[in-house]
Every structure is written in structure tokens, then in C-alpha cells.
């Protein structure tokens, strides 16, 4: 996988030290070396596994992810999250140790090595900072005696933005919290927030981070203006309804033709219904067309494999002259391809065979191979797959033709509904526009005039908001097109990586494609030829682990062939049924064997997931930290400590099997 020219770099974590973090009451100091593969923190429920991942991200970013904080923009997320960390650590650090408790993390970004020390209750502040170049030469070092904590933090921000290539510290926070980390929030990058997905795609696929910051701001402004336009439209509608209500209460002579208005509303509703039906059928036809294309490609590929296998078996077991095509040529002195006849035809074929060449393509005949019953079984298997693929293709083509006919019908229905509405409006133009004013009093006239003014002003503001919204969308368009272009250029590298990871878990063929929508490019997932736009179309465990596979593929693409990617995963083992536990471990193992790193937490009895991952990596590439020694177990947990020992023993045995 290559990401040539990609400027963004991610931190790669190496060590972490905790002092006086009293949640882990049995350890006054904790030192962790994360190694080059998997670091798995295994423990029981309630011991602080999720807190450990929060500490890792806090050490790098100074932010703890709030479970209730929704993503609207990177800047807003960073600003709103700053105040959450002190409250999060309250209670996890005893009052007596507030001043002593600290975390130190060492990580690299590109060629620079960072050592960062923070306390847990002062935001945007560092106690110590060291930055060294790759040759070991110290380029910068300060501690709390040289500068105040905020000044050190500012130096840190400046340095890390230079090394990561990002345009703002909020972008680093975003990548750590929404791309690199899958934590107890269970936030789904793929489905939960289109804005977060789009922001990640911008940064991963190489759009200039400065442009990304601008694009995010413009998109946010466009959304706000759209919301304001809807509010203004609501105010205009309310003013109109209030005016009609006054007319209704002033007497029958002033009433509009309500029967006519009801009929008009019904025709408008029918047109909207026809429009939605057309949009739905358009999507279904597009899905069906994609299904036909995929199956046609699969059938063609299977046909090539079958022909190749058949030819290989035939040539290996028979003289080339006995092949049906060649035998017919030699016997009839006639070429079945070009139609030429005579001895010259047979002479040319025999000369080719004598020269060990194929009479048709003139390439050298393959060397005979040892053919056993396995080759015939392979032919039978390919033939079965080919028949299945053909049946599926015929079915898909029939579905496409049916849906295409339904699309034509839906299009005709919309045309009919639109024509009917237009004709009705033309025939009743005067009645629909006529609004009689009461002549009883000047007061009623003034009230009606006030509602008219409110409606006109609200309509004017609505149009103004929409015009300004379109200005921001026009600014966004070139950046969105740039993303689409960069994604399509990266597709041949990124998509197969995603497919391999997801197949390890799902065991199903999976495709991801980018479509350009009104609000911006959007990723659409296809499983076995069916698009999955909603999370309800996948089980909970499928949602979680497909999302993790997506993040892994994005991280791997971002760091490139020569880089090292890392992820923090609070394993959602509770969502897995037994059929998927081992496959999830295989998926994690594949990510690590590509040279990446994984910091994960797992329940000690998480069964096949950790065991399969241990077998994939072995002790050389995986360390399992026994968390039960970090803190005091509950009474129930203490009574079950023998079960914990047994679980750890099984994991250690799996690590040994992985070394074999």
C-alpha cells in the first residue's frame, strides 16, 4: 500500500509511566513498554481497562473523550472536551495525591521522539517535555522550572503540528479519538457521524490539512444556514396559517375556498410521494446494476479459471493433437477459426506441435504436471461455482430488468402527478391566490397586514440564508472533488486492504465505494452485492468489527508501506457471538502482521478472540499484561481468582503455540 506525497503522520507510542494513579491502588508506579506488536491489557470487569486507554489518549492530546459529546466539527469537539478531563479523573485519583499523580508517555512522530509529562487536572498544560531527533541529538527540552505549564504546552503544540503535518491541534485530537481509537463510547466512524467520516477521509487521503480546516468550517456554516432557512420557512408558514385563521374567524364571506386548498394539498402530497418513489427506485436500480456487474465479473473470472484448469489437465494427459479443436483441424484440413483449408493448414498445425507450441496462440506449451484426482475435483468445484454464478447472474439480470421497468413506471407516475398538479394550479390560479380581506374593522386589517409582513420578512430571510448556504457549498465543491479524485487514485490500495481485514471477520465478500452526494462524498458499504446504508442491516458485532476494519485500513493507508500504524481498541467482546470471536482475533492478527501495532484491552475470559490473536502473533509479537495485580479485586472476583489464573494459563499456552 502506498500513500506517496501524504503529509500527515501519526504518533507511534512506545512507553508509558503512571505515578500515584490511585485507581490502580496496588501499583504506586506503573511502567509499560508497548513493544512492536500487540499489547493486551487483560483483566476483569471494573478494574479500569477502559480508563487505561483514556489515559493513553490524554497523555498525547490532553483530552478525554466524553461519551455524550457528539461530533459537529473538530474545533468544537476539542473546545467542548477540554472541560471533561478533570471531572473524569476526579475519584480515579485520590485527593491526597492530586499534585503527585502524573502520566509520562514516549512516542515518535516521523523522525522526532517525544517524551511528554502531564498531571491529570490542569488542561492545556505540561509538566515536562523533551523532543529528540532521530540521531539522538536533543533538540528541545523544558520542565516546569523553566516555563509555566501552558507555555510548555504551546511549544508542544507547535512542534507536533510541524511533525505531523496537521493544520491545527484539534486535527490531532480528532485522529486520535475518532480514527485511531475504538473505545467504550462505541462510536462508529462508518455510520454514526457523516461529518466525522468525511473529515477523516479528507485527512487520510491527502487533502491539504489547511484546506480540511477551511472545508470543515464552511460545511458547518452551510449546515447552520440551512437550519436557519428551515426556521425562517417555519415562521413564514406559521404567519400564513395565523392569517388564514383570522380570516376564518371573521366570517364566511372572508374564507378562502378550503375544499380547493385541500385538493391542492393532496395533489402536492401525491407529487412528493411520486418523487420519493422515483428516488427509491433509482437507488434500487443502481444497486441492481452494481450486482449484475459484480456477478458478471465473477462469472468471467471463474470461466477463465475453468478453461485454464481444463486446458492444463488436457495438455498434461493428452497429446496436443488430440485436443478436439486441433484433431478436427488435422482430420478435415480446415481451420475452425479462420476457415482456411488444405494441406498448408495441417502442415502449419503439425509444425507448431513439433516445435512444442500451441497451434492457436503459438506460445510454448506448458510443461506436463503431475495430475491426480485432485485436478478433476478442482474442475468439478469450478464447474459447480460457475453454475452457481451463472444462476445468480441470470437472477440478478432479471431483477435489474424488473426494477428498471418499475423505475420507468415510477418516472411516468411522477410526470403524471406533476402535470396534474400544474394543470390544477393553472386552472385555479385566481382562487389559489385570492385571499379576501375583512372589511369590518381597521384593527383586523392591521392584524392581517402584520401577518403579511411577518411572512414576507421570514421568506426574505429564508431566501437570504439559502443564498449564503449556496456560497459556502460552492466553496466546498472543489475540495470535495479533490477528495473524490484522491480516493479513486487510492482505491486500488485501500479497498483490497479493507476487504482482506473485513473478510477475516465476516467471511463475506465486502466492497466499499465512494459516492458524491449533495452534502459531500460518502462511503457506501456493499456486502455480497447488497448495499448496507443503515446500521440496522448489520448485527451489533458486525457493525463494531467492520468499523474497526475500516479504521485499520485507513490507518494502514495513512502511514504507507514504510510507516507503522497503531490503534487503541477497547475490545467489544460482549457483542460477539461465539462464531465470530476467533475471526475477530484473526483480523487483529492480520493488522499486526503487516507491521502495525495494537494496544487493546480485553476481558480475561474473552475466550477465542485473545486466544486466536495469541496464536497468530506468538509471544514475540504479543504481550499480555495481567491487570488483576494492579488493584484490589472485589470479593466475588477474589473468590474466582483461580479461574483468572486458568484463563491466563490458556493465553500463555496460545502464545507458545504461536511461536512454533
Amino acid at each position: 500500500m502506498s500513500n506517496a506525497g501524504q503529509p500527515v503522520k501519526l504518533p507511534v507510542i512506545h512507553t508509558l509511566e503512571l505515578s500515584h494513579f490511585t485507581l490502580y491502588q496496588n501499583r504506586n508506579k506503573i511502567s509499560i513498554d508497548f513493544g512492536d506488536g500487540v499489547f493486551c491489557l487483560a483483566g476483569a470487569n471494573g478494574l479500569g481497562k477502559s480508563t487505561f486507554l483514556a489515559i493513553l489518549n490524554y497523555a498525547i492530546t490532553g483530552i478525554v473523550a466524553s461519551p455524550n459529546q457528539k461530533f459537529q466539527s473538530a474545533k468544537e469537539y476539542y473546545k467542548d472536551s477540554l472541560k471533561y478531563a478533570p471531572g473524569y479523573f476526579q475519584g480515579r485519583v485520590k485527593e491526597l495525591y492530586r499534585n503527585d499523580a502524573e502520566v509520562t508517555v514516549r512516542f515518535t512522530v516521523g523522525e522526532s521522539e517525544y517524551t511528554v509529562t502531564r498531571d491529570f487536572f490542569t488542561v492545556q498544560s505540561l509538566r515536562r517535555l523533551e523532543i529528540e531527533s532521530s540521531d539522538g541529538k536533543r533538540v528541545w527540552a523544558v520542565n516546569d522550572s523553566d516555563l509555566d505549564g501552558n507555555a510548555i504546552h504551546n511549544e508542544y503544540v507547535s512542534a507536533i503540528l510541524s511533525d505531523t503535518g496537521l493544520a491545527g491541534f484539534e486535527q490531532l485530537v480528532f485522529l486520535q479519538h475518532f480514527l485511531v481509537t475504538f473505545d467504550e463510547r462505541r462510536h462508529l466512524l462508518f455510520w454514526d457521524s457523516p461529518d466525522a467520516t468525511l473529515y477523516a477521509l479528507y485527512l487520510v487521503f491527502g487533502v491539504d490539512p489547511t484546506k480540511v480546516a477551511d472545508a470543515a468550517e464552511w460545511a458547518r456554516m452551510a449546515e447552520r444556514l440551512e437550519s436557519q432557512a428551515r426556521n425562517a420557512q417555519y415562521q413564514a408558514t406559521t404567519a400564513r396559517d395565523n392569517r388564514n385563521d383570522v380570516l376564518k374567524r371573521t366570517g364566511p364571506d372572508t374564507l378562502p375556498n378550503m375544499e380547493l386548498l385541500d385538493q391542492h394539498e393532496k395533489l402536492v402530497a401525491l407529487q412528493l410521494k411520486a418523487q420519493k418513489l422515483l428516488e427509491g427506485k433509482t437507488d434500487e436500480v443502481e444497486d441492481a446494476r452494481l450486482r449484475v456487474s459484480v456477478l458478471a465479473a465473477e462469472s468471467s473470472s471463474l470461466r477463465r479459471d475453468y478453461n485454464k484448469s481444463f486446458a492444463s489437465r488436457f495438455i498434461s494427459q493428452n497429446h496436443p493433437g488430440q485436443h478436439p479443436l486441433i484433431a478436427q483441424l488435422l482430420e478435415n484440413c480446415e481451420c475452425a477459426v479462420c476457415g482456411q483449408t488444405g494441406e498448408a493448414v495441417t502442415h502449419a498445425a503439425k509444425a507448431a506441435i513439433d516445435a512444442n507450441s500451441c497451434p492457436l496462440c503459438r506460445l510454448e506449451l506448458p510443461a506436463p504436471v503431475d495430475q491426480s484426482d485432485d485436478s478433476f475435483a478442482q474442475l468439478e468445484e469450478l464447474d459447480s461455482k460457475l453454475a452457481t454464478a451463472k444462476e445468480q447472474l441470470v437472477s440478478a439480470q432479471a431483477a435489474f430488468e424488473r426494477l428498471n421497468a418499475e423505475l420507468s413506471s415510477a418516472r411516468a407516475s411522477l410526470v403524471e402527478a406533476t402535470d396534474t398538479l400544474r394543470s390544477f394550479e393553472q386552472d385555479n390560479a385566481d382562487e389559489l391566490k385570492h385571499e379576501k380581506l375583512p372589511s369590518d374593522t381597521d384593527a383586523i386589517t392591521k392584524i392581517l397586514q402584520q401577518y403579511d409582513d411577518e411572512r414576507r420578512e421570514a421568506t426574505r430571510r429564508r431566501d437570504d440564508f439559502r443564498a449564503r448556504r449556496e456560497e459556502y457549498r460552492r466553496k466546498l465543491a472543489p475540495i470535495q472533488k479533490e477528495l473524490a479524485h484522491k480516493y479513486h487514485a487510492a482505491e486500488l490500495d485501500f479497498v483490497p486492504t479493507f476487504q482482506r481485514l473485513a473478510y477475516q471477520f465476516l467471511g463475506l465478500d465486502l466492497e466499499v465505494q465512494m459516492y458524491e452526494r449533495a452534502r459531500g462524498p460518502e462511503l457506501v458499504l456493499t456486502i455480497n452485492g447488497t448495499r448496507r446504508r443503515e446500521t440496522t442491516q448489520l448485527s451489533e458485532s458486525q457493525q463494531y468489527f467492520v468499523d474497526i476494519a475500516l479504521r485499520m485500513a485507513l490507518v494502514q493507508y495513512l502511514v504507507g508501506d514504510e510507516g507503522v500504524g497503531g490503534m487503541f481498541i477497547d475490545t467489544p467482546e460482549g457483542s460477539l457471538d461465539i462464531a465470530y470471536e476467533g475471526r475477530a482475533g484473526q483480523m487483529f492478527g492480520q493488522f499486526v502482521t503487516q507491521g502495525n501495532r495494537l494496544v487493546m484491552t480485553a476481558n480475561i475470559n474473552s475466550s477465542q478472540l485473545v486466544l486466536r490473536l495469541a496464536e497468530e502473533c506468538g509471544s514475540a509479537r504479543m504481550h499480555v499484561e495481567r491487570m488483576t495485580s494492579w488493584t484490589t479485586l472485589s470479593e466475588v472476583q477474589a473468590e474466582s481468582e483461580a479461574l483468572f489464573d486458568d484463563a491466563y494459563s490458556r493465553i500463555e499456552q496460545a502464545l507458545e503455540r504461536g511461536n512454533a
Side-chain angles (χ1 to χ4, degrees), residues 257-533:
N257 188 334
M258 298 306 296
E259 183 178 350
L260 192 70
L261 292 179
D262 287 343
Q263 189 175 355
H264 181 254
E265 287 183 2
K266 289 178 181 178
L267 290 175
V268 170
L270 286 174
Q271 187 201 34
L272 290 175
K273 183 178 179 180
Q275 177 66 43
K276 289 182 179 179
L277 177 63
L278 178 62
E279 291 173 356
K281 288 299 176 185
T282 301
D283 281 341
E284 289 183 26
V285 168
E286 187 178 352
D287 291 347
R289 182 184 292 110
L290 176 63
R291 175 71 170 162
V292 169
S293 298
V294 170
L295 288 173
E298 289 179 358
S299 182
S300 177
S301 177
L302 286 169
R303 171 59 63 185
R304 287 195 300 270
D305 292 345
Y306 181 87
N307 289 341
K308 182 178 178 181
S309 181
F310 178 84
S312 174
R313 178 179 174 83
F314 192 92
I315 291 172
S316 300
Q317 295 183 347
N318 302 278
H319 188 274
Q322 296 175 359
H323 191 283
L325 285 176
I326 307 304
Q328 180 183 357
L329 182 150
L330 295 174
E331 181 179 348
N332 300 333
C333 298
E334 180 180 359
C335 178
V337 177
C338 66
Q340 296 190 66
T341 60
E343 292 184 0
V345 176
T346 58
H347 176 74
K350 290 178 179 178
I353 293 171
D354 291 341
N356 198 37
S357 298
C358 172
L360 290 179
C361 66
R362 295 307 175 97
L363 295 177
E364 184 178 354
L365 291 171
V369 295
D370 182 20
Q371 293 287 344
S372 63
D373 290 341
D374 290 342
S375 64
F376 186 74
Q378 182 183 21
L379 276 174
E380 285 187 322
E381 181 182 1
L382 286 170
D383 187 59
S384 175
K385 288 183 177 179
L386 195 57
T388 300
K390 183 178 179 180
E391 181 180 343
Q392 291 176 338
L393 179 58
V394 170
S395 176
Q397 288 170 333
F400 173 71
E401 292 172 2
R402 173 180 57 80
L403 289 170
N404 216 23
E406 291 176 3
L407 175 63
S408 298
S409 177
R411 189 177 290 114
S413 296
L414 177 59
V415 170
E416 181 182 356
T418 302
D419 289 344
T420 302
L421 176 62
R422 185 181 296 115
S423 177
F424 182 85
E425 289 175 340
Q426 289 173 351
D427 293 343
N428 300 280
D430 292 338
E431 288 285 345
L432 291 171
K433 291 180 180 178
H434 181 59
E435 293 178 341
K436 297 178 181 179
L437 288 175
S439 56
D440 293 350
T441 64
D442 291 339
I444 293 177
T445 302
K446 288 180 179 179
I447 292 173
L448 295 174
Q449 185 62 50
Q450 179 181 346
Y451 284 136
D452 281 340
D453 291 343
E454 288 179 7
R455 179 176 55 82
R456 281 192 292 268
E457 173 60 20
T459 302
R460 183 198 64 77
R461 286 187 289 107
R462 178 203 65 192
D463 294 342
D464 178 60
F465 290 140
R466 287 178 176 173
R468 289 163 57 196
R469 177 202 64 191
E470 290 307 310
E471 289 180 9
Y472 284 110
R473 286 183 175 178
R474 282 193 291 271
K475 288 183 179 181
L476 274 170
I479 301 177
Q480 292 174 343
K481 288 186 180 298
E482 181 182 353
L483 171 60
H485 174 74
K486 287 181 176 292
Y487 176 84
H488 291 311
E491 209 167 12
L492 292 178
D493 288 331
F494 164 69
V495 173
T497 302
F498 179 38
Q499 289 174 321
R500 286 193 296 270
L501 288 166
Y503 187 85
Q504 282 288 345
F505 173 68
L506 283 177
L508 298 172
D509 292 326
L510 181 147
E511 184 76 29
V512 63
Q513 294 176 308
M514 179 175 284
Y515 291 88
E516 295 191 44
R517 307 297 189 197
R519 64 179 290 119
E522 173 188 347
L523 287 184
V524 175
L525 181 68
T526 302
I527 298 179
N528 281 353
T530 303
R531 289 188 186 177
R532 303 298 177 99
R533 290 187 172 90

Side-chain angles (χ1 to χ4, degrees), residues 105 149 177 216 226-227 280 323 373 399 433 437 466 489 543 598 653-654:
V105 63
H177 284 205
E226 174 62 25
S227 177
H323 191 283
D373 290 341
K433 291 180 180 178
L437 288 175
R466 287 178 176 173
Q543 293 170 33
L598 182 61
Q653 291 170 11

Side-chain angles (χ1 to χ4, degrees), residues 58-62 102-103 105 114-119 122-131 140 142-145 147-157 169:
Y58 175 76
I60 297 171
T61 66
E102 64 181 25
V103 57
V105 63
Y114 288 73
T115 304
V116 179
T117 301
R118 298 179 184 272
D119 70 78
T122 311
V123 298
Q124 295 181 303
S125 177
L126 295 183
R127 287 186 172 177
R128 290 175 294 280
L129 172 65
E130 293 186 9
I131 307 174
W140 208 78
V142 296
N143 57 46
D144 51 3
S145 65
L147 296 171
D148 65 52
N150 297 117
I152 301 175
H153 181 269
N154 291 338
E155 295 289 349
Y156 169 63
V157 169
F169 195 66

